[in-house]
């Protein structure tokens, strides 16, 4: 009986946040003198088939990025370094795959493993600093992002090939490419074949976190480190494991585009995915289904915004404001809803107590 | 009680629908000026809530508050302070690294500044009531009793005439309690009104002029100490017959379950928190640890459970040397652990009860199936605990946070007694639970003891220590300084051993036992 309203309030928070973000965006538009009606007209156009595929692709990448952030968040570890881990891992993977040391899909599979290991290793630096020297992972991962950018740029110059204006790693042999999945009949653009990685990772995330001892220990540590220690969790080991896992998932982010589209690491690599993933994880409340919805919302907004400049004469950057406000308001909305739920629950407990008392009083008389 | 017109405090028809825990209702309290008025009741009877209402921390949903005959609305503690109400909290709110003066003037700088005027005022108050406090001494150098006097002084400094003392004796040893009472009588003589919250009935009878009894959120009676015995009071509090923790015949066997040898635990800078601790607990034996809080009980418990690494010494469980084992391995080997701070160490407050059933039992059935969480098993076993230990909750999907402290504790005890532990390490197992549940927990521990459970019991409740233990060890400054037979020991003897007052006799007994 109580379940329905609770699910309701759970959904209310993100919806409320999106509405608030819409209002704020509208206010900004009015303030600048742009047309609010045209903005929403463009944003709510039914996306074309090509755009829909683009949204699904964008969402898949954001989903992996959100998962990577969420693994650490569930343990109260703030891995701000998903971006760096993703860049380093994608570069390493592209370079490795380009060497064509292995034939066909074996190359693909091993490359994906390389990406995960490199992503994990990069995150592992922050984990080791934290458990041995007590360095906050927030600081170290931010620093490591900067280092990752420099390192990859340097290695690209040293190891990459010059192709016209740009430098890129050796193109991966075609036998290792992963073809797209046709989503909409008659549409030529396709969904990344490796989007299945996102699905697999999402399911693995849910199962590991909710069903295994490791997942329980991880969540317990996130909820109360002291209680986790008393229950026998080795917190240092958990910090390392969670960071490694987070980095490994971050390593997967770049694989979709690498094997499905670009086939090399170059200056065209998508920048900022790791940071957007943090926002997506927040929006989705570190929950595998929630992150998927959050990724879709973000990908939808980004994709729809492309038409703003052409059709409404509004700079597409305004959508970044919308996305930012969504994240800000969702954090507030979740806290409001959390307090509300605690109140509902305490009221239920009080009712149960009252019932007990009434029964006891009845039994006494 | 008849001269209500001049009452210092009058609470009428107070109702507080405080969600979840205990609601106040039908509260009628009249405190005459210049008296000590005691408010007694079990833990969770609503004393603290009521006092928070009077101190402006919480607003009542219904009812009226009169101070000196005037109806008032107290929205914040600042309102209450302005009306001359002061509160001395059970947990001291002092900054250790500041002086007495600094602690007192903090937040009341406008009264007498922060310099010599304030110092003179502190001297004056201290002298007037015999507090014996030096304004320039650092609080960290003060003992518990003196810290409490600083708290009272703080309240007086802010001009309080009505002073609420929330369980002021909970942290004191018997000798300190006497000193506190002398201070309180002095305050009364000067015309202050004192509201004294307690559940220690002998103390209440010794100090109070009038006693109001709270039961399940409502005031049930107001009596004069001359008219009642502590037994009467207890029955008013509980509303039924009283349990007692007495043990029956000894069930101690020869099988040693826990053997701690020459244990030394150090803090980060190498100071000893525990030294030369040697302890042996056999199957079927309860060893009680008595001591003033902060004398190494926490460290001893944590060393036995494996949270804290000893610098020297060994811990042996059954036939295994477990000194190098982590907490998980020890718990898997059958150590039940009821932590001192249940909310920080015993529960995941935002997780449902059934997940809390898994906590600390991540390696064992019924909550786990190998490496996998057995949700059905955990839910079913949580329901069993809820039923057997009378945990008041709508269900096992309720989060632990929503339960009252006593019910949280009952759930923890139930969980730690599950799966037939061989050793139970229990810190204050019945702290904060009501009398009925206390009796049930004592019964459970006794029952398990009969089946061969070894128990390390740390408690501040002397009745509990004496009633459950087969032998009582006293801990003082990190050392086990004495052994007592619970059948013959008196609370006074334990009290002086805890403070190091009766060292000689104690050492004798300890050597005899070795």
């Amino acid at each position: 009986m109580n379940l329905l309203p609770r699910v309701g309030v759970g959904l209310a928070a993100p919806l409320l946040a999106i509405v608030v973000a819409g209002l704020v965006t509208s206010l900004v538009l009015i303030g600048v003198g742009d047309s609010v009606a045209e903005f929403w007209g463009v944003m709510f156009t039914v996306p074309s088939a090509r755009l829909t595929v683009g949204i699904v692709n964008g969402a898949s990448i954001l989903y992996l990025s959100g998962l990577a952030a969420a693994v650490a968040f569930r343990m109260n570890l703030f891995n701000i370094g998903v971006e760096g881990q993703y860049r380093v891992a994608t570069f390493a993977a592209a370079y490795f795959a380009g060497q064509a040391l292995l034939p066909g899909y074996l190359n693909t599979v091993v490359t994906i493993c390389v990406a995960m290991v490199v992503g994990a290793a990069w995150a592992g630096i922050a984990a080791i600093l934290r458990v041995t020297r007590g360095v906050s992972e927030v600081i170290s991962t931010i620093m490591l992002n900067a280092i990752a950018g420099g390192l990859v740029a340097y290695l690209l110059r040293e190891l990459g090939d010059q192709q016209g204006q740009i430098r890129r790693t050796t193109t991966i042999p075609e036998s290792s490419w992963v073809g797209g999945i046709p989503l909409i009949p008659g549409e030529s653009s396709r969904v990344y074949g490796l989007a299945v990685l996102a699905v697999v990772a999402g399911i693995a995330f849910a199962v590991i976190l909710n069903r295994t001892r490791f997942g329980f220990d991880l969540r317990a540590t996130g909820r109360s480190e002291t209680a986790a220690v008393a229950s026998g969790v080795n917190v240092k080991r958990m910090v390392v494991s969670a960071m490694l896992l987070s980095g490994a998932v971050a390593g997967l982010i770049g694989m979709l585009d690498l094997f499905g589209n670009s086939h090399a690491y170059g200056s065209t690599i998508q920048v900022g995915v790791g940071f957007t993933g943090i926002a997506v994880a927040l929006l989705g409340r570190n929950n595998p289904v929630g992150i998927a919805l959050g990724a879709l919302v973000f990908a939808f907004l980004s994709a729809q915004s492309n038409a703003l400049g052409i059709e409404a004469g509004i700079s597409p950057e305004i959508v970044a404001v919308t996305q930012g406000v969504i994240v800000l308001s969702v954090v507030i909305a979740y806290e409001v809803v959390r307090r509300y739920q605690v109140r509902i629950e305490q009221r239920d407990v009080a009712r149960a107590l009252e019932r007990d008392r009434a029964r006891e009083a009845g039994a006494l008389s | 009680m008849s001269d209500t017109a001049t009452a210092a405090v009058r609470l009428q028809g107070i109702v507080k629908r405080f969600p979840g825990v205990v609601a106040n209702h039908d509260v009628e309290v009249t405190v005459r000026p210049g008296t000590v008025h005691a408010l007694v009741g079990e833990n969770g009877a609503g004393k603290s809530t009521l006092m928070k209402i009077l101190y402006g921390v919480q607003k009542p949903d219904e009812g009226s508050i009169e101070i000196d005959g005037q109806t008032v609305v107290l929205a914040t503690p600042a309102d209450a302070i302005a009306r001359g109400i002061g509160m001395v909290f059970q947990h001291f709110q002092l900054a250790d690294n500041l002086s007495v003066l600094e602690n007192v003037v903090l937040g009341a700088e406008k009264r007498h500044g922060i310099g010599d005027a304030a110092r003179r005022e502190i001297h004056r108050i201290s002298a007037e009531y015999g507090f014996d406090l030096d304004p320039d001494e650092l609080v960290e150098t003060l003992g518990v009793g003196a810290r409490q006097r600083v708290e009272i002084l703080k309240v007086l400094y802010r001009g309080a005439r009505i002073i609420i003392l929330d369980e002021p004796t909970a942290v004191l040893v018997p000798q300190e309690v006497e000193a506190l009472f002398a201070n309180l009588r002095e305050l009364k003589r000067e015309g202050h009104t004192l509201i004294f919250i307690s559940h220690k009935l002998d103390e209440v009878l010794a100090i109070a002029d009038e006693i109001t009894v709270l039961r399940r959120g409502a005031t049930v009676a107001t009596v004069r100490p001359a008219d009642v015995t502590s037994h009467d009071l207890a029955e008013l509090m509980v509303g039924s017959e009283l349990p007692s923790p007495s043990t029956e015949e000894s069930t101690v066997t020869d099988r040693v379950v826990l053997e701690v040898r020459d244990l030394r635990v150090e803090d980060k800078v190498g100071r000893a928190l525990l030294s030369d601790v040697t302890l042996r607990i056999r199957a079927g034996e309860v060893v009680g640890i008595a001591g003033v809080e902060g004398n190494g009980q926490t460290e001893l418990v944590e060393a036995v459970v494996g949270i804290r690494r000893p610098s020297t010494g060994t811990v042996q469980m059954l036939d295994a040397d477990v000194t190098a084992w982590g907490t998980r391995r020890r718990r898997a080997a059958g150590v039940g652990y009821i932590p001192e701070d249940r909310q920080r160490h015993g529960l995941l407050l935002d997780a449902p009860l059934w997940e809390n059933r898994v906590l600390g039992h991540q390696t064992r059935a019924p909550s786990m199936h190998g490496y996998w969480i057995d949700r059905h098993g955990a839910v079913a076993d949580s329901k069993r605990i809820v039923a057997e230990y009378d945990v008041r909750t709508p269900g096992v999907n309720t989060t632990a946070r929503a339960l009252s402290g006593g019910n949280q504790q009952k759930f923890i005890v139930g969980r730690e007694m599950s799966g037939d532990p061989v050793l139970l390490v229990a810190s204050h197992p019945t702290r904060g639970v009501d009398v009925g549940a206390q009796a049930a927990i004592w019964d459970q521990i006794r029952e398990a003891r009969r089946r061969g459970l070894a128990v390390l019991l740390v408690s501040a409740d002397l009745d509990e220590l004496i009633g459950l233990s087969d032998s009582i060890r006293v801990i003082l400054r990190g050392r086990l300084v004495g052994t007592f037979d619970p059948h013959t020991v008196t609370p006074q003897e334990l009290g002086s051993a805890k403070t190091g007052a009766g060292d000689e006799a104690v050492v004798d007994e300890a050597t005899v036992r070795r």
Side-chain angles (χ1 to χ4, degrees), chain A residues 211 214 217 219 226 345, chain B residues 328 344 355 371 373 399:
Chain A
R211 299 270 179 249
F214 174 79
D217 287 353
R219 286 182 294 129
T226 46
E345 200 163 55
Chain B
R328 171 140 304 163
R344 275 169 49 81
E355 282 199 335
Y371 191 72
I373 294 176
T399 57

Side-chain angles (χ1 to χ4, degrees), chain A residues 97-358:
Chain A
Q99 302 302 303
L101 301 173
L102 298 159
Y105 285 128
L106 188 60
N107 192 22
T108 314
V109 173
V110 174
T111 301
I112 291 171
C113 295
V114 167
M116 290 174 76
V117 168
V118 173
W122 198 252
I125 299 172
I128 286 168
L129 285 173
R130 157 100 186 231
V131 296
T132 58
R133 313 299 323 161
V135 180
S136 159
E137 76 283 0
V138 177
I139 309 294
S140 58
T141 51
I142 290 174
M143 299 297 183
L144 283 165
N145 281 341
I147 297 172
L151 181 70
V152 169
Y154 168 75
L155 290 176
L156 196 58
R157 276 193 81 85
E158 294 292 313
L159 305 172
D161 313 325
Q162 192 74 34
Q163 294 182 354
Q165 291 291 325
I166 49 167
R167 266 190 175 273
R168 20 188 315 163
T169 56
T170 315
T171 302
I172 301 168
E174 214 172 324
S175 62
S176 302
W177 295 6
V178 179
I181 305 163
L183 183 73
I184 299 166
E187 169 55 43
S188 62
S189 63
R190 296 183 164 194
V191 172
Y192 294 129
L194 285 180
V196 291
L197 274 183
V199 178
V200 171
I203 293 169
F205 178 91
V207 170
I208 291 173
L209 234 65
N210 295 319
R211 299 270 179 249
T212 67
R213 182 190 303 162
F214 174 79
F216 184 88
D217 287 353
L218 188 141
R219 286 182 294 129
T221 314
R223 279 176 161 147
S224 166
E225 192 172 316
T226 46
V229 168
S231 83
V233 174
N234 181 336
V235 169
K236 284 188 174 175
R237 199 155 64 201
M238 285 309 295
V239 167
V240 174
S241 313
M243 277 305 269
L244 291 182
L245 205 57
S246 179
V249 179
L252 290 177
I253 300 169
M255 297 304 98
L256 278 58
D257 190 67
L258 181 64
F259 285 102
N261 176 37
S262 59
H263 312 301
Y265 187 104
S267 42
T268 52
I269 181 163
Q270 207 181 341
V271 174
V273 187
F275 294 118
T276 316
I278 294 171
V280 166
L282 277 175
L283 183 59
R285 236 181 165 181
N286 303 324
N287 169 297
V289 177
I291 299 169
L293 295 176
L296 277 170
V297 169
F298 268 57
F300 176 84
L301 289 174
S302 299
Q304 294 289 76
S305 71
N306 290 332
L308 279 176
I310 308 155
E311 291 180 21
I314 300 170
S315 165
E317 274 73 27
I318 183 73
V319 168
V321 175
T322 315
Q323 292 175 332
V325 179
I326 288 179
V327 172
L328 267 184
S329 21
V330 87
V331 172
I332 299 166
Y334 276 141
E335 181 58 22
V336 171
V337 167
R338 192 189 68 82
R339 289 187 191 170
Y340 179 70
Q341 280 172 325
V342 167
R343 272 223 307 281
I344 291 183
E345 200 163 55
Q346 287 181 331
R347 200 192 55 204
D348 289 351
V349 173
R351 273 201 198 133
L353 285 175
E354 284 304 318
R355 262 201 313 275
D356 281 356
R357 266 175 214 168

Side-chain angles (χ1 to χ4, degrees), chain B residues 55-237:
Chain B
Y55 192 53
V57 178
Q58 257 146 20
K59 275 188 76 171
D61 295 323
E62 289 171 31
S64 67
I65 303 171
E66 282 175 32
I67 307 294
D68 300 326
Q70 269 187 307
T71 304
V72 296
V73 175
L74 304 171
T76 64
D79 291 350
I81 292 167
R83 299 274 172 186
I85 300 171
M87 183 140 175
V88 176
F89 290 92
Q90 186 179 355
H91 300 287
F92 301 153
Q93 317 214 316
L94 298 172
D96 276 359
N97 52 349
L98 297 184
S99 69
V100 170
L101 170 76
E102 287 163 334
N103 267 288
V104 171
V105 299
L106 195 64
E109 295 85 353
K110 287 188 182 142
R111 283 197 167 262
H112 305 279
I114 58 170
D116 282 336
R119 188 172 284 111
R120 270 196 304 279
E121 178 66 8
I122 292 171
H123 268 303
R124 186 188 68 72
I125 298 172
S126 176
E128 188 171 351
Y129 303 106
F131 281 177
D132 190 27
L133 287 170
D134 174 1
D136 295 308
E137 199 163 347
L138 278 185
V139 163
E140 66 187 359
T141 63
L142 299 179
V144 177
R147 281 172 195 233
Q148 191 166 52
R149 292 198 295 278
V150 176
E151 286 282 10
I152 299 173
L153 201 152
K154 258 167 75 178
V155 165
L156 292 169
Y157 186 85
R158 284 158 176 73
R161 292 165 299 100
I162 299 165
I163 302 171
I164 307 165
L165 298 127
D166 188 7
E167 310 230 1
T169 61
V171 290
L172 303 179
V173 296
Q175 289 82 346
E176 289 172 326
V177 171
E178 273 314 309
L180 170 70
F181 282 3
N183 294 142
L184 296 188
R185 290 194 187 98
E186 199 65 34
L187 285 167
K188 186 172 85 170
R189 214 164 46 86
E190 297 291 328
H192 290 281
T193 305
L194 303 167
I195 300 177
F196 183 90
I197 303 175
S198 182
H199 57 253
K200 294 182 178 164
L201 302 179
D202 47 342
E203 291 173 3
V204 166
L205 289 170
I207 187 78
D209 299 303
E210 259 170 12
I211 303 165
T212 296
V213 182
L214 272 170
R215 183 164 78 224
R216 295 196 160 176
T219 48
V220 292
T222 298
V223 295
R224 287 170 193 279
D227 305 337
V228 289
T229 64
S230 64
H231 194 263
D232 298 337
L233 270 185
E235 287 200 338
L236 278 172
M237 271 165 57

